[in-house]
Amino acid sequence: MNRPVITKIISLGGVVAFFALIFSYAAGNLLSVGSFSSAFWTLIASVLFLSAFVIQVLLVDNFLISAGMILAEVAVMTLFLGGSLSLVMFAAILIAIALLISAYYNGRLEVKNNLEIRFFKTGQVILRRASSATAIFVIVAFISILDFEDPAAAKQRIGIAIRPLEPIASAYIPKFSIENSLTDISLKLLPKEADSIAPDARALIVQEAAQRVAEVIGNFTGFKIRPADTITDILYNLTIGRLSDLPPILRTVFLVFGGFLVFLLVKFLLIFVNWLAIGLGWLLYQMLFNLGFFKIQTQSVDKHIISL
């Protein structure tokens, strides 16, 4: 391997690691703030990292070098997502490394098994595992910072997790907030015709509606819900509040199961992220090719076939 090639590999590795750092910072900010804008920037950062990772797989045809680059990239991700590096987080790091190495291996296998460079097909093979690695990393990072001994802090984390959904819910509930109680939401959903009703009668309607909603939720979940409970209170009581009373081992089992369910939901949403990453990766691929960063050559290869 000559010096110019080594220089290109180092430069490419530095760029991918930089995007991994941006993703780590954005995702860490999402877990700390939990706003719609932080979720949006985390999406953008994940697309940047994944698109650059696809380029890395296509251009670096050396397993050991690529494995070292992946280790460095995951190490960078832990800067803002590693937290206290608990046992659960350490397991997530190992899973992320394994998935990214698997993405590299399968991506290179796809390249070798095709006579032509099929960027989009190969990109899908790579991102199928690489995007799962980033999703697992963020989900486990969130789980690892939950504090079962501090209900106030745990409620705050629940609020951070669902706050990005506020703009979506506001399309159906005017000025929706996760700190709204069932009574507040019932008041916001009153039709304009209710403005002509006497204040006492309107308040009674709102209270009865909130009480009815609380009873429906309570009957469905088996947990007592009050009209004055906020959305955050309800979600806390139905999730972390119940887990707090369990032994640590059972608590971990339920957390892993819950994390798996969240992963399945996020995995569905990653289809959109993967296509954005493939599109951006294609643009980067064409740009690097036109700049002479790499070249495409033809070569004759011997192929084994089965015949009678």
Side-chain angles (χ1 to χ4, degrees), residues 69-92:
M69 294 169 70
I70 289 171
L71 289 175
E73 289 152 12
V74 174
V76 168
M77 288 185 190
T78 62
L79 292 179
F80 295 100
L81 289 174
S84 58
L85 286 180
S86 62
L87 183 61
V88 175
M89 194 62 208
F90 183 72

Side-chain angles (χ1 to χ4, degrees), residues 88-137:
V88 175
M89 194 62 208
F90 183 72
I93 292 173
L94 294 180
I95 293 173
I97 292 173
L99 284 173
L100 289 175
I101 290 178
S102 176
Y104 171 81
Y105 176 80
N106 285 278
R108 292 304 310 175
L109 194 63
E110 182 70 20
V111 171
K112 292 178 180 179
N113 288 340
N114 289 288
L115 297 178
E116 296 181 351
I117 299 174
R118 300 179 179 179
F119 184 91
F120 290 97
K121 183 179 179 181
T122 305
Q124 290 178 6
V125 172
I126 297 169
L127 293 178
R128 203 171 293 139
R129 293 171 175 80
S131 60
S132 295
T134 58
I136 290 175
F137 215 91

Side-chain angles (χ1 to χ4, degrees), residues 3-271:
R3 186 171 180 179
V5 173
I6 295 176
T7 301
K8 290 179 180 180
I9 291 176
I10 294 175
S11 301
L12 180 61
V15 171
V16 180
F18 176 70
F19 285 148
L21 179 64
I22 294 177
F23 168 73
S24 174
Y25 175 78
N29 188 54
L30 172 64
L31 298 183
S32 299
V33 179
S35 62
F36 182 80
S37 61
S38 62
F40 173 77
W41 287 114
T42 300
L43 170 67
I44 297 300
S46 64
V47 169
L48 287 173
F49 168 70
L50 292 172
S51 60
F53 184 77
V54 170
I55 301 298
Q56 173 182 310
V57 174
L58 290 174
L59 299 187
V60 182
D61 187 15
N62 186 295
F63 179 80
L64 291 179
I65 292 178
S66 293
M69 294 169 70
I70 289 171
L71 289 175
E73 289 152 12
V74 174
V76 168
M77 288 185 190
T78 62
L79 292 179
F80 295 100
L81 289 174
S84 58
L85 286 180
S86 62
L87 183 61
V88 175
M89 194 62 208
F90 183 72
I93 292 173
L94 294 180
I95 293 173
I97 292 173
L99 284 173
L100 289 175
I101 290 178
S102 176
Y104 171 81
Y105 176 80
N106 285 278
R108 292 304 310 175
L109 194 63
E110 182 70 20
V111 171
K112 292 178 180 179
N113 288 340
N114 289 288
L115 297 178
E116 296 181 351
I117 299 174
R118 300 179 179 179
F119 184 91
F120 290 97
K121 183 179 179 181
T122 305
Q124 290 178 6
V125 172
I126 297 169
L127 293 178
R128 203 171 293 139
R129 293 171 175 80
S131 60
S132 295
T134 58
I136 290 175
F137 215 91
V138 175
I139 292 171
V140 176
F142 175 76
I143 293 175
S144 66
I145 60 178
L146 292 176
D147 188 353
F148 290 89
E149 306 301 327
D150 188 349
K155 285 184 181 181
Q156 183 181 14
R157 293 299 176 185
I158 290 291
I160 288 173
I162 62 175
R163 187 171 290 119
L165 300 177
E166 284 183 338
I168 299 175
S170 294
Y172 305 94
I173 303 173
K175 297 181 180 180
F176 173 82
S177 170
I178 59 174
E179 300 304 325
N180 288 153
S181 67
L182 295 180
T183 301
D184 296 331
I185 294 174
S186 298
L187 179 61
K188 292 180 178 182
L189 290 176
L190 276 181
K192 292 184 178 180
E193 291 77 7
D195 294 341
S196 60
I197 301 175
D200 292 341
R202 189 170 57 211
L204 181 60
I205 293 174
V206 169
Q207 190 62 30
E208 289 179 351
Q211 183 62 44
R212 180 56 182 163
V213 172
E215 290 175 357
V216 171
I217 298 175
N219 293 334
F220 180 75
T221 61
F223 189 85
K224 185 177 180 180
I225 305 294
R226 300 172 302 172
D229 287 340
T230 66
I231 300 300
T232 304
D233 291 333
I234 294 173
L235 291 177
Y236 169 80
N237 292 330
L238 294 178
T239 54
I240 299 177
R242 286 191 170 185
L243 294 178
S244 299
D245 298 328
L246 296 177
I249 296 179
L250 286 178
R251 186 189 303 164
T252 302
V253 171
F254 277 103
L255 281 175
V256 171
F257 179 72
F260 178 71
L261 294 179
V262 173
F263 171 74
L264 293 179
L265 174 62
V266 173
K267 184 66 175 175
F268 175 76
L269 299 176
L270 284 176
I271 297 175

